Amino acid sequence: MTGMVLAVGALALINLVYKGVGPAVLGDRRFPPRVQEMIDALPVALLAGLVIVNLLGERWAAVDVTVVPGLLAAAVAWWFRVPQLGCVAVAVAVSIAVRWL
Amino acid sequence: MILLMRSSERTGEFAAGDAGWRAGLRIGMGLAIGAFALAVSFGAFAVTNGWPAWLAIVMSAVTFSGSAQFALVTAASGGSIAAGVGAAALINARFIPMGAASARSLHGGPVRRAFEGQAVVDGSWVAAQNGDGSLDRHKLFGATLVQWPAWIAGTAIGALFAPSTEFMHDFGLDVIFPAFFLVLLLDALRDRPSLVAVALIAAVIAGAAALVVPSGMALLLCGLAALLAAARTSRRLGR
């Protein structure tokens, strides 16, 4: 039990340092154009990764084809300018419907 | 006159701040639903693996980092808590570049900036991007402020009531996160269509990496795709 508590404390401290060190040290400094371009591209890379990782799961253990029609429906809803939460609701509804079939 | 101009500039700043908070809270609502669903499964997972419910809830409150928490619990149940902390530390290493990229958009001295940097979590950080390399800090705060209690509440429900995975599956709760991230991705690509190649390469990297490393590590590796954008800039500057 003590080990578990220490592990939680250690992870909390690591997170605190990770998130705080950049802002504290760098301040207002600007990056060179190449670095800035990479930083600008990071959100898109991270989002694409989040979609795939959430879809597949670790070791692809969460692969579920019934999610795919839901995501496609969300993309179609997005194309028709449906708000973000509406797109998610469409994805959930379509996935539930496919699972019931 | 100068005073009036300054006052109107400040009013404009407050108005922009309010709009940022509102947008952040709105986006945070969507992210919070996904975070809540994932946290329910984390709470149930932790208790099933021998963690006391109270400690799982405390972990969510003080670390607020999904994949790292899953990694810690997984490794600890395999007998090695130190390895779990190491894996979680590697998984969360992506917060270093994300925090660094946020630095100039945050306010105050080093301590305050470090404190404001604690609001950086995946979904909020992405949603708060202005598209010009800067970040809307109010949007970041708003989006994180909604997700954090949802993450804790979800963990508590999962740890105390342990709903079945069938329940999550039948009600489509597992679809919320990927769908929300997909919509955010499509929004980002609408603003920056030149980054489609980066997204595709990141998706391939994530798919391949997810087979062999934990999710957080796979996400860290996705950052390699962003090097493509830097390489294109290098080529442009070299001309």
Side-chain angles (χ1 to χ4, degrees):
Chain A
M1 171 74 101
T2 310
M4 286 176 172
V5 174
L6 287 175
V8 170
L11 183 57
L13 188 65
I14 288 166
N15 270 357
L16 196 78
V17 173
Y18 277 174
K19 293 182 180 182
V21 69
V25 173
L26 288 170
D28 277 328
R29 258 169 266 172
R30 285 181 179 272
F31 294 106
R34 290 179 191 89
V35 178
Q36 189 59 54
E37 191 62 33
M38 196 184 85
I39 288 169
D40 291 349
L42 261 180
V44 163
L46 191 67
L47 277 171
L50 281 165
V51 172
I52 298 300
V53 164
N54 272 282
L55 199 59
L56 302 176
E58 276 184 26
R59 315 243 185 274
W60 288 29
V63 174
D64 179 358
V65 289
T66 59
V67 178
V68 177
L71 293 186
L72 288 174
V76 172
W78 173 85
W79 182 260
F80 286 104
R81 306 262 170 180
V82 173
Q84 288 172 336
L85 276 179
C87 293
V88 174
V90 167
V92 170
V94 169
S95 290
I96 291 173
V98 170
R99 285 166 182 177
W100 281 357
L101 286 175
Chain B
M1 185 65 176
I2 290 170
L3 277 175
L4 269 175
M5 280 170 67
R6 280 192 183 153
S7 151
S8 91
E9 274 169 21
R10 198 158 292 171
T11 308
E13 270 175 37
F14 281 131
D18 282 351
W21 272 105
R22 276 197 300 274
L25 292 170
R26 196 173 54 246
I27 291 171
M29 288 293 285
L31 290 165
I33 296 169
F36 179 83
L38 192 65
V40 170
S41 57
F42 169 72
F45 178 73
V47 170
T48 311
N49 279 280
W51 287 66
W54 69 267
L55 190 53
I57 298 165
V58 168
M59 195 198 307
S60 282
V62 299
T63 67
F64 188 24
S65 51
S67 48
Q69 290 180 227
F70 273 104
L72 178 57
V73 169
T74 305
S77 66
S80 175
I81 288 182
V85 174
L90 265 180
I91 285 168
N92 279 356
R94 68 184 182 281
F95 289 131
I96 299 174
M98 287 163 72
S102 315
R104 71 183 167 94
S105 302
L106 302 176
H107 287 186
V111 174
R112 181 170 167 191
R113 280 174 199 266
F115 179 70
E116 291 191 359
Q118 302 307 312
V120 170
V121 290
D122 294 329
S124 306
W125 183 76
V126 168
Q129 298 298 317
N130 286 327
D132 60 357
S134 68
L135 175 145
D136 184 333
R137 57 194 274 280
H138 292 113
K139 207 188 232 185
L140 175 79
F141 300 157
T144 297
L145 201 64
V146 185
Q147 288 178 81
W148 188 51
W151 182 251
I152 299 169
T155 305
I157 289 173
L160 298 173
F161 301 107
S164 67
T165 48
E166 287 77 24
F167 175 86
M168 309 280 286
H169 185 265
D170 290 348
F171 287 90
L173 299 180
D174 55 328
V175 185
I176 295 171
F177 245 25
F180 202 79
F181 287 130
L182 176 68
V183 173
L184 286 176
L185 173 64
L186 293 172
D187 278 344
L189 290 176
R190 184 185 269 154
D191 293 339
R192 303 273 310 264
S194 62
L195 294 179
V196 168
V198 171
L200 289 174
I201 291 172
V204 171
I205 292 174
L211 257 181
V212 286
V213 295
S215 304
M217 279 290 287
L219 288 176
L220 188 64
L221 290 172
C222 285
L224 292 174
L227 290 174
L228 177 72
R232 280 196 302 217
T233 306
S234 291
R235 222 178 311 143
R236 204 177 59 235
L237 291 174
R239 269 178 204 158

